[in-house]
Amino acid sequence: MRNYIIKRLLLIPLTLLGILAVNFAIIQLSPGGPVEYVLAKYQGMNTDSKAQFTSTAPAQNTSQTNKYQGSQGVPEDLIEELNKQFGFDKPWYERFVKMVKDYASFDFGKSYYKDKTVLELILERMPVSVSLGLWSTLIIYLISIPLGIKKALYDGSRFDVFSTISIIIGSAIPVFLFAVFLIVFFAGGTYLQWFPLRGLTSDNFETLSMIGKIKDYFWHIALPVFSIVIGGFAGLTMLTKNSFIDEISKQYILTARAKGLSEKDILYKHVFRNAMLIVIAGFPSLLIKMLFTGSVLIEVVFSLNGLGLLGYEAIMTRDYPVIFGTLYIFALLGLVLKLISDITYCLVDPRINFDKI
């Protein structure tokens, strides 16, 4: 196992390099950019001055000026200044090499539009996303695994049919719609005001006692987490059920019963270990989804400044340092979690040996 872990750790830098290279190429080919974004704001805020400029000065047809959309009527020195500010005055390969060198030391640069470094923004938003992701994943696993096991034991019963219908309906409800429903009914929208409407903590959080801080934290996070987990049960529950049904029908289970083992021993000493392998394999992808992609709408609805919202804002404003910085962190965490998943494989089932790979 040690050799396998070393191989995987050595592959992480190469994988990150490939991910950065692919996304860097996509960004270079995609339309729009920070210069176009600033030019659009310039054109909208300076309509009168632009008209005066275009009426008194000849049109500039240089390649540098016509390179960007919305550059018509904009002074060329302004475009050159923007290129220099955003680093586009250098060839793409120089920018890529510099980015790789900086990222190797976790230097992600500074946001184009916020007066903070990318690392400061990520560390500032990380607690919100980690809170949503960890609690959502934990609750989903704590409910889905026992529910899936019970559905497998009572396959075809009324309980199985009713629970299947319930989790399918829950997964079919859009996350943002359910979040709005919770706000309307339980956060002072129209009816009850049991939970706060926005934020992860209260304004007087620092003045509260330790017990008060814990209560305040869970009071704020209750509705966002519930909104995320309501649609996350179906996949893991059905996966657990099908895994247990598949194991229960195998020959070694019939042999164990013939030897007189109790159903409890068969279930938890034999079936559980084998059936849980496929469930464990899905843990990294579920956690990454909950951490970064599944909570974007929730962060918007409940006004939570997390990494999902940060990445979305960066894409909309073409804030490249933030885009690549968050992408780098997402990819690194995903690779580490996948390695942890493989290690857990071996802990659950010692028969698995990755050293042969």
Side-chain angles (χ1 to χ4, degrees):
M1 189 63 183
R2 183 179 60 182
N3 294 334
Y4 175 75
I5 294 176
I6 294 175
K7 291 178 184 178
R8 289 291 299 273
L9 291 176
L10 293 176
L11 284 173
I12 286 179
L14 296 177
T15 306
L16 289 174
L17 178 61
I19 293 174
L20 286 177
V22 171
N23 285 275
F24 184 84
I26 294 174
I27 289 295
Q28 301 307 306
L29 298 175
S30 61
V35 176
E36 284 89 339
Y37 180 79
V38 174
L39 289 176
K41 295 182 66 175
Y42 174 85
Q43 297 278 27
M45 295 172 60
N46 299 277
T47 306
D48 295 337
S49 61
K50 182 189 73 171
Q52 181 180 1
F53 177 83
T54 54
S55 61
T56 59
Q60 297 177 349
N61 295 320
T62 63
S63 58
Q64 182 68 18
T65 304
N66 293 330
K67 180 180 177 181
Y68 301 109
Q69 295 182 3
S71 62
Q72 186 66 32
V74 179
E76 185 177 356
D77 56 349
L78 174 60
I79 297 180
E80 292 178 355
E81 182 180 349
L82 290 175
N83 280 325
K84 185 176 181 180
Q85 176 183 346
F86 294 126
F88 296 132
D89 56 332
K90 299 178 181 178
W92 64 267
Y93 51 86
E94 290 187 14
R95 288 185 278 122
F96 179 73
V97 171
K98 183 179 183 302
M99 182 181 69
V100 172
K101 290 180 180 179
D102 292 340
Y103 279 29
S105 59
F106 287 89
D107 180 9
F108 305 125
K110 193 174 182 179
S111 171
Y112 287 158
Y113 311 110
K114 297 179 174 66
D115 190 23
K116 292 181 179 180
T117 64
V118 175
L119 190 59
E120 288 176 342
L121 290 173
I122 292 176
L123 294 178
E124 182 182 287
R125 305 286 187 100
M126 182 72 77
V128 175
S129 295
V130 170
S131 296
L132 294 176
L134 287 181
W135 286 115
S136 301
T137 304
L138 180 62
I139 293 174
I140 289 174
Y141 264 79
L142 289 177
I143 295 178
S144 296
I145 292 177
L147 180 60
I149 294 174
K150 189 171 183 179
K151 285 173 64 64
L153 296 177
Y154 298 96
D155 183 37
S157 64
R158 290 183 178 179
F159 169 78
D160 181 37
V161 174
F162 176 77
S163 58
T164 300
I165 294 175
S166 299
I167 62 176
I168 289 177
I169 292 176
S171 64
I173 300 176
V175 174
F176 75 93
L177 183 62
F178 189 75
V180 172
F181 170 82
L182 292 178
I183 289 177
V184 170
F185 280 89
F186 300 106
T190 303
Y191 300 96
L192 304 174
Q193 195 170 359
W194 291 352
F195 297 92
L197 182 60
R198 63 183 64 229
L200 198 61
T201 57
S202 300
D203 294 336
N204 63 335
F205 181 79
E206 297 298 331
T207 63
L208 299 175
S209 63
M210 181 59 66
I211 301 298
K213 289 181 179 180
I214 295 175
K215 290 181 179 180
D216 184 75
Y217 169 76
F218 283 107
W219 183 46
H220 280 78
I221 207 173
L223 292 187
V225 169
F226 189 45
S227 302
I228 296 175
V229 303
I230 192 64
F233 295 125
L236 186 59
T237 300
M238 299 308 296
L239 179 62
T240 304
K241 174 190 173 182
N242 294 333
S243 299
F244 272 78
I245 289 178
D246 183 61
E247 290 296 323
I248 290 173
S249 62
K250 290 184 177 179
Q251 183 65 38
Y252 76 91
I253 299 299
L254 299 177
T255 304
R257 286 172 177 164
K259 291 182 178 180
L261 293 178
S262 65
E263 290 296 323
K264 184 178 180 180
D265 290 338
I266 293 174
L267 178 63
Y268 291 103
K269 291 184 179 180
H270 297 279
V271 177
F272 185 83
R273 183 179 65 180
N274 296 326
M276 285 301 295
L277 290 176
I278 191 171
V279 177
I280 293 173
F283 178 80
S285 60
L286 178 61
L287 181 57
I288 288 294
K289 177 182 177 181
M290 294 299 169
L291 279 173
F292 307 119
T293 60
S295 60
V296 176
L297 293 176
I298 297 301
E299 291 174 8
V300 174
V301 172
F302 289 97
S303 300
L304 300 174
N305 292 322
L307 287 177
L309 184 59
L310 176 65
Y312 173 77
E313 292 173 347
I315 293 174
M316 296 303 295
T317 58
R318 302 298 194 271
D319 198 344
Y320 290 163
V322 177
I323 293 176
F324 285 113
T326 53
L327 174 67
Y328 186 86
I329 296 297
F330 296 167
L332 179 60
L333 288 177
L335 293 172
V336 173
L337 288 174
K338 183 60 178 175
L339 177 59
I340 294 175
S341 175
D342 291 342
I343 296 174
T344 309
Y345 261 127
C346 296
L347 296 178
V348 174
D349 191 350
R351 297 172 300 177
I352 298 177
N353 184 10
F354 286 107
D355 285 335
K356 296 180 180 179
I357 298 178

